[in-house]
Amino acid sequence: MMPFEDDDSSSCQHQYTTPQDSAREWYTTYTKAIHLSETLSETERNNFSKSLNIDSIQEFGEFLVSGVIGGLSELNSDALVAATYGRIADVLPHSSESFLDCALVLGTCQPHEQEQLKGISSSIDAIVHEVATESLLHVIEKLPSTKALMARISMLRAFNRRARFGLPWLPLRSAQESSAILGGLSGYGTSLERAGRTWDSKSKSLWVQAPTISKRLRNCREILFTSTKKFFLDSVMDATATPTPLSHDEYELPREVRTVRVNRLKAHRAMASDDSGLKKKHSVFSQLQREMRGWSGATLRRGFVAKGHGGQKRAFKVKLVGEGVNDYSGPYREVFTDAIQEVTDLDPSGNSSLGVLQPSANNQAGVGDGRDLFVFALSPSDLNAFNEPEKNKDLLSSEERDLLNSFSSLTHKKNENSREIEEALSYLGKLVGTACRHGIPVDLPLPLGVVWKRLTEESIDVADILKEIDILALRSGQNEEFSSTCLPSDKVLATQRRLLNSFVEGMSSVLPVELLSMFTGEQLRDIICGNPDIDVELLRRVVEYEGYDETDTVVTFFWEVLREMTTSERKLFLQFVWARNRLPLKESDFDAPFKIQKDTKTVNENGDYPLPSASTCFFSLTLPEYPEKEVLKQKLLYAIENVTTMESDYVTNDVEVSEGWRGL
């Protein structure tokens, strides 16, 4: 309470006639103090902004030269600055002055400017400072002045503004790179990295490298902001989408959007059994593959958005047999999530349930990096071929041996098992491409070196690939004691390249894979797979409440419980409320807000509280008002771990129910 002094009183006691007078005086003094603080802060921001002003083009050129980070080349320095600026811009609020706020954040990263900018930068969220510090940690002592860094950033911003207009006119796959004169069909003339899907580094001297605009673009891909490249990719995907006429009823899907029947009840029972044949026959992945066997890429490139479906693009409609659910986008996302989960599912012995992806050697042994990664599954014939001695290889010349190494993936003997795996991988590529087109991140833990960097045509060392997927094989090349227990790495990598071709073939029917070389492997993985960690704070920034307020006790309990969950439990929660298990990378990528609604149901007769429920189509959670945190945690975990079907929208008939629950 702010006191009011009574002049008539002989003492120093401050008195007020009414409580309202006391409150009014406090509010007046408080607002004056806040206004003074804001005025000082705004003045300091204006002074800092003026300190960044550059008066002449000559001075700008001097700051550009001095803005290169010490110890790095100009290109590598700009790549790091562009990546840092992109990360900062992603986490800054939309209403912020991103350029000035970015300068404040970069200034606080430098020890000699921290104290000076401490008061001004305190208004910026701490997570923004964390992102900047994490990105620049390894060069923090070599950073140039903030003014010089911002000169480089202003140049990069101007370059990216022009790139948005220029990229559609520049070839990402030049004619010289597939010229018959340079032997394009044989691989000569193509970029080393593109041919790298079947390429061996020993044959580098045999490849003709034509100087092209495409190669220069690939060399400079890291100074293009991810947002610039994503904007171009999205515009090309929109331009190549199959047009769909509107239905007479705006709430109904047009007949061109086909219906796919999926029996998840049967799939769940099959995946819980020990019979691999049943799994391959009745899994959601296999059902989708059979239903879409004759579909062309044009059908999957459809991106229809129906009214009342939450803005979700779709290529087909999903009918979940026996569940009584209308597809207002929840079931559509659900089948993608279920199919990808089945592909990475393991049986009790640790082998792949469907034989499409298998755990990497590091994953199986629990050693090295990437212990959660999967690689393309090997057929029994592949494993037998690894142990067969190579015949007549000594009779080949060095050039013939190099050519054989270059095209080793194409000289592989195929049988029924290998063809089945290649067909499944081709369909997996179509599924992943369709999910990417429609903004559905998939939980696909594939290696960076074997898959994502190959897709973006980046150079990568074989040792780095082996370290990521099979560190024992890498050691076996350095230590003969391990060589008898490990598979030959060159044959394993050649087989992975062959299977990658099948995966890319399926993806190329849906996505413009020629444009993927704009991105780095990490960027492409993030675009397709989303955020592997369920960021609770990101989810909290996009939430809306109906019937509750952010300060309510049960809401506080909910966020505390969500933070305490493991990563796997958070994925289950996200699938429970949104039919997907990966979040977008940033706030602007959310198509709809996350809604928490108050449940009007009362306590049961036995004193028990009802379970929370969700609407996956509209990304909403209906939460009862639990009195204690432990009760909320128990009910929420039970719901996300045991609910295997969606909440029914209508009563299904007996025939459909019997079909859904019919025995295998």
Side-chain angles (χ1 to χ4, degrees):
M1 178 181 293
M2 299 296 299
F4 179 78
E5 188 173 353
D6 186 0
D7 294 334
D8 296 333
S9 175
S10 58
S11 67
C12 295
Q13 181 68 31
H14 302 287
Q15 298 179 351
Y16 298 96
T17 306
T18 64
Q20 287 81 359
D21 292 338
S22 170
R24 190 178 298 110
E25 179 66 21
W26 173 88
Y27 181 73
T28 303
T29 308
Y30 174 77
T31 51
K32 285 180 180 179
I34 291 296
H35 179 69
L36 179 62
S37 174
E38 289 177 349
T39 303
L40 290 173
S41 179
E42 190 63 31
T43 303
E44 291 174 341
R45 283 177 65 90
N46 290 336
N47 292 336
F48 178 71
S49 179
K50 289 177 182 178
S51 71
L52 297 176
N53 290 344
I54 296 177
D55 298 325
S56 66
I57 189 67
Q58 182 180 357
E59 186 184 3
F60 181 71
E62 292 172 357
F63 278 112
L64 277 182
V65 173
S66 63
V68 178
I69 298 174
L72 298 179
S73 67
E74 188 173 357
L75 182 61
N76 290 337
S77 172
D78 284 341
L80 178 58
V81 171
T84 304
Y85 176 73
R87 294 190 187 106
I88 292 173
D90 284 345
V91 293
L92 279 174
H94 296 301
S95 58
S96 72
E97 303 172 51
S98 59
F99 189 79
L100 182 58
D101 286 343
C102 179
L104 286 169
V105 173
L106 291 176
T108 56
C109 290
Q110 307 197 43
H112 59 280
E113 296 184 29
Q114 275 182 357
E115 196 63 34
Q116 179 185 353
L117 300 176
K118 187 176 180 182
I120 320 175
S121 62
S122 59
S123 60
I124 301 175
D125 197 334
I127 191 171
V128 184
H129 295 283
E130 291 174 12
V131 166
T133 305
E134 183 182 354
S135 183
L136 299 172
L137 187 61
H138 61 294
V139 294
I140 206 135
E141 299 296 332
K142 302 176 183 178
L143 288 177
S145 67
T146 303
K147 194 169 183 177
L149 274 177
M150 297 313 295
R152 300 298 300 189
I153 288 177
S154 65
M155 179 199 66
L156 290 170
R157 280 163 52 112
F159 171 71
N160 277 269
R161 280 196 298 269
R162 288 156 178 79
R164 286 205 174 200
F165 295 99
L167 280 175
W169 301 95
L170 296 176
L172 293 192
R173 183 64 52 223
S174 300
Q176 299 96 307
E177 295 188 354
S178 56
S179 169
I181 297 175
L182 295 173
L185 294 178
S186 300
Y188 300 98
T190 67
S191 72
L192 290 174
E193 293 77 23
R194 183 169 178 78
R197 292 174 192 160
T198 60
W199 173 72
D200 188 275
S201 58
K202 297 175 184 176
S203 59
K204 183 175 182 178
S205 60
L206 297 176
W207 296 81
V208 178
Q209 287 291 281
T212 63
I213 294 176
S214 309
K215 185 171 179 61
R216 292 177 186 174
L217 273 174
R218 290 193 292 272
N219 290 339
C220 298
R221 73 183 105 198
E222 292 187 62
I223 64 174
L224 288 168
F225 297 153
T226 305
S227 58
T228 302
K229 296 180 282 191
K230 186 67 165 60
F231 175 82
F232 179 47
L233 178 64
D234 289 341
S235 64
V236 173
M237 287 195 295
D238 290 341
T240 55
T242 304
T244 307
L246 294 175
S247 174
H248 295 296
D249 185 346
E250 60 183 358
Y251 290 96
E252 292 294 328
L253 295 173
R255 62 183 180 182
E256 286 79 7
V257 178
R258 305 185 190 181
T259 299
V260 174
R261 292 171 57 85
V262 177
N263 192 332
R264 293 200 310 156
L265 305 174
K266 185 177 289 187
H268 289 160
R269 293 198 300 276
M271 295 302 293
S273 70
D274 297 328
D275 191 333
S276 61
L278 286 178
K279 293 179 181 179
K280 293 181 180 180
K281 182 178 180 181
H282 297 298
S283 65
V284 171
F285 180 84
S286 301
Q287 291 181 53
L288 289 174
Q289 187 178 4
R290 283 196 303 272
E291 289 269 338
M292 301 181 190
R293 188 173 296 277
W295 290 21
S296 65
T299 305
L300 294 175
R301 288 197 300 273
R302 202 179 298 280
F304 186 76
V305 180
K307 189 170 183 178
H309 288 210
Q312 176 65 61
K313 294 180 180 178
R314 65 168 69 244
F316 53 88
K317 180 182 178 181
V318 174
K319 168 69 174 176
L320 298 179
V321 178
E323 296 190 45
V325 180
N326 288 320
D327 184 7
Y328 291 117
S329 73
Y332 184 74
R333 290 191 293 266
E334 187 80 33
V335 294
F336 283 96
T337 304
D338 286 346
I340 299 299
Q341 279 182 342
E342 291 171 349
V343 164
T344 56
D345 184 68
L346 302 178
D347 60 23
S349 60
N351 298 318
S352 171
S353 295
L354 300 185
V356 180
L357 300 179
Q358 68 183 32
S360 66
N362 286 355
N363 188 339
Q364 291 176 326
V367 296
D369 299 327
R371 301 186 188 185
D372 60 339
L373 296 179
F374 284 73
V375 295
F376 301 125
L378 303 176
S379 67
S381 61
D382 292 326
L383 297 173
N384 294 333
F386 292 157
N387 299 319
E388 290 180 2
E390 296 179 344
K391 299 178 181 178
N392 303 324
K393 194 169 183 179
D394 295 336
L395 303 178
L396 300 176
S397 66
S398 60
E399 288 186 355
E400 290 171 332
R401 199 174 291 116
D402 286 337
L403 285 172
L404 180 62
N405 288 334
S406 299
F407 299 101
S408 57
S409 66
L410 302 178
T411 59
H412 175 77
K413 295 179 181 178
K414 295 185 179 181
N415 56 25
E416 193 60 35
N417 286 334
S418 62
R419 288 193 188 92
E420 185 179 328
I421 292 175
E422 288 178 7
E423 286 180 5
L425 286 173
S426 178
Y427 178 71
L428 178 62
K430 290 182 180 179
L431 208 61
V432 170
T434 306
C436 179
R437 262 187 175 270
H438 299 158
I440 305 173
V442 293
D443 190 4
L444 196 65
L446 293 173
L448 196 60
V450 172
V451 178
W452 305 118
K453 288 196 173 184
R454 293 291 189 187
L455 284 171
T456 56
E457 305 175 28
E458 289 185 76
S459 298
I460 184 169
D461 189 60
V462 173
D464 293 333
I465 297 177
L466 289 176
K467 184 180 179 181
E468 186 181 25
I469 64 172
D470 193 351
I471 195 170
L472 295 181
L474 178 63
R475 291 175 180 172
S476 71
Q478 303 168 349
N479 191 337
E480 296 181 358
E481 295 180 7
F482 291 99
S483 59
S484 60
T485 61
C486 297
L487 296 174
S489 59
D490 55 342
K491 294 183 178 180
V492 170
L493 294 181
T495 304
Q496 289 298 310
R497 287 195 293 268
R498 172 176 59 82
L499 297 173
L500 175 61
N501 288 340
S502 299
F503 179 74
V504 174
E505 182 182 358
M507 185 182 285
S508 64
S509 65
V510 185
L511 288 180
V513 293
E514 292 82 2
L515 304 187
L516 301 185
S517 59
M518 293 189 302
F519 300 92
T520 63
E522 292 86 350
Q523 290 169 348
L524 179 62
R525 180 187 59 190
D526 291 344
I527 288 171
I528 292 179
C529 299
N531 194 343
D533 299 320
I534 309 299
D535 188 348
V536 178
E537 293 307 316
L538 176 61
L539 199 59
R540 190 167 185 170
R541 289 201 296 271
V542 298
V543 73
E544 289 182 359
Y545 300 99
E546 293 183 8
Y548 283 126
D549 188 75
E550 189 175 7
T551 57
D552 288 341
T553 305
V554 67
V555 172
T556 304
F557 290 161
F558 168 75
W559 292 115
E560 289 177 359
V561 168
L562 203 57
R563 288 192 191 94
E564 293 169 3
M565 287 183 179
T566 63
T567 300
S568 58
E569 288 172 341
R570 289 182 190 174
K571 286 182 177 181
L572 286 174
F573 168 77
L574 195 61
Q575 186 170 359
F576 176 71
V577 297
W578 207 11
R580 54 200 274 182
N581 52 19
R582 292 256 180 143
L583 281 177
L585 292 173
K586 54 183 184 291
E587 187 176 339
S588 60
D589 290 339
F590 282 79
D591 295 327
F594 171 43
K595 293 183 180 179
I596 298 180
Q597 300 170 327
K598 188 172 184 178
D599 195 345
T600 56
K601 296 176 184 175
T602 57
V603 184
N604 300 333
E605 294 180 358
N606 56 4
D608 193 17
Y609 283 85
L611 292 172
S613 59
S615 175
T616 57
C617 297
F618 305 106
F619 193 17
S620 65
L621 173 70
T622 303
L623 190 68
E625 193 168 5
Y626 297 112
E628 297 176 1
K629 178 180 172 181
E630 285 304 315
V631 176
L632 187 150
K633 183 176 183 178
Q634 178 188 358
K635 294 292 184 180
L636 187 59
L637 287 175
Y638 184 87
I640 64 176
E641 291 174 353
N642 293 279
V643 175
T644 57
T645 61
M646 291 187 170
E647 189 173 353
S648 297
D649 296 318
Y650 59 90
V651 179
T652 55
N653 56 55
D654 293 340
V655 175
E656 185 178 325
V657 171
S658 62
E659 181 183 357
W661 293 96
R662 188 180 301 155
L664 299 175

